[in-house]
Amino acid sequence: MIPAVWLARKHKMGALEATLPRPPFWKSFREATWGLAAPVLILGGMRAGWFTPTEAAVVAVFYGLFVGMCIHRTIKVRDLFVILRESGELSAVILLVVSLAGIFAYSLSTLGVIDPVTRAIVNSGLGEYGILALLILLLITVGMFLDGISIFLIFVPLLLPIMNHYQWDPVWFGVILTLKVALGQFTPPLAVNLMVSCRIAGVRMESTVRWVGWMLFSMFVVMVLVIIFPELALWLPRKLGY
């Protein structure tokens, strides 16, 4: 958030909007109520045990259709075919990658590749922090080319024995793993998530590099802080009883 605020102030982003009259608060709040209720419904439903994360995706889709068709009425019945077709195309690409990653992970486990690789890494003589630095470099690099789900499917079976060997906290290691993958997803040259964001925004990825660099730097600093101070990642889950 700090780099975003700094960049916005440095380049006077939103300066034009600041001169416009501020819309009424309560009117804006009422109009945004349905949108604000979405994360409450989805996250609250999962937290309460009403549905699983997979089922939450279905709930989110039907909630979005309900709000779009019945509340705001910006989605017509004739628009559903186009929406479903585009969703099917995007989902097909993602599911193809995920399925191949799942097959690859299953092959690693079935062929017994994981144990020798794990022993080789542990016995490499790099030490605990050397191994952690190696994993950071590896996962950030892989994150440039693969999506997050595929990375987790492929590498979690390989990394779990390493985590158990060094007795790392699973929650802490999961947060570190997620931060590594997130860094890779926005790191050029491929940067899967950055590519999608640029497509949505309608801008060339090359034009975003100087902006994204500050965000990547801040994410890297956060990851280093979590490594040095594990309580940053463990305090809240511990308070919630995990």
Side-chain angles (χ1 to χ4, degrees):
M1 186 179 72
I2 295 176
V5 173
W6 177 73
L7 287 171
R9 291 184 175 179
K10 180 180 179 181
H11 297 278
K12 295 182 172 56
M13 298 179 183
L16 177 61
E17 289 80 359
T19 61
L20 300 176
R22 181 172 297 181
F25 174 79
W26 290 111
K27 179 182 178 182
S28 302
F29 181 76
R30 284 196 303 270
E31 293 176 352
T33 300
W34 289 99
L36 295 174
V40 176
L41 172 64
I42 297 168
L43 298 178
M46 289 190 293
R47 185 71 177 87
W50 295 344
F51 37 73
T52 65
T54 303
E55 294 168 346
V58 180
V59 172
V61 169
F62 278 95
Y63 180 81
L65 285 175
F66 170 75
V67 173
M69 298 182 70
C70 302
I71 305 301
H72 298 303
R73 298 183 179 179
T74 54
I75 300 177
K76 308 298 182 183
V77 176
R78 63 176 178 270
D79 299 329
L80 289 179
F81 176 76
V82 177
I83 294 173
L84 293 174
R85 185 187 64 190
E86 293 180 355
S87 300
E89 292 173 353
L90 293 174
S91 300
V93 174
I94 296 172
L95 289 175
L96 178 62
V97 175
V98 170
S99 61
L100 293 176
I103 294 172
F104 183 75
Y106 176 78
S107 301
L108 289 179
S109 177
T110 304
L111 296 174
V113 177
I114 293 177
D115 290 339
V117 172
T118 301
R119 285 196 298 269
I121 294 175
V122 171
N123 298 326
S124 61
L126 295 176
E128 180 178 355
Y129 293 103
I131 295 296
L132 190 58
L134 176 65
L135 295 180
I136 291 173
L137 180 62
L138 171 65
L139 291 173
I140 290 177
T141 303
V142 173
M144 298 179 189
F145 303 96
L146 290 177
D147 65 287
I149 297 176
S150 301
I151 294 173
F152 281 107
L153 286 174
I154 294 172
F155 284 94
V156 166
L158 177 64
L159 298 177
L160 279 179
I162 299 175
M163 180 194 74
N164 294 329
H165 176 81
Y166 289 109
Q167 297 181 346
W168 292 333
D169 186 281
V171 175
W172 174 80
F173 186 67
V175 172
I176 295 296
L177 180 60
T178 304
L179 287 171
K180 295 173 191 173
V181 174
L183 267 170
Q185 299 285 278
F186 280 93
T187 304
L190 289 185
V192 179
N193 284 359
L194 181 59
M195 189 181 302
V196 174
S197 302
C198 291
R199 182 177 178 182
I200 294 174
V203 298
R204 297 181 60 186
M205 191 165 70
E206 294 82 358
S207 64
T208 66
V209 173
R210 67 190 185 100
W211 305 92
V212 173
W214 290 104
M215 307 299 175
L216 293 176
F217 175 74
S218 64
M219 291 173 66
F220 183 79
V221 170
V222 169
M223 183 179 65
V224 172
L225 290 175
V226 172
I227 293 174
I228 298 174
F229 306 105
E231 283 300 312
L232 291 175
L234 299 177
W235 175 80
L236 183 59
R238 188 178 294 118
K239 287 294 183 181
L240 294 175
Y242 292 103

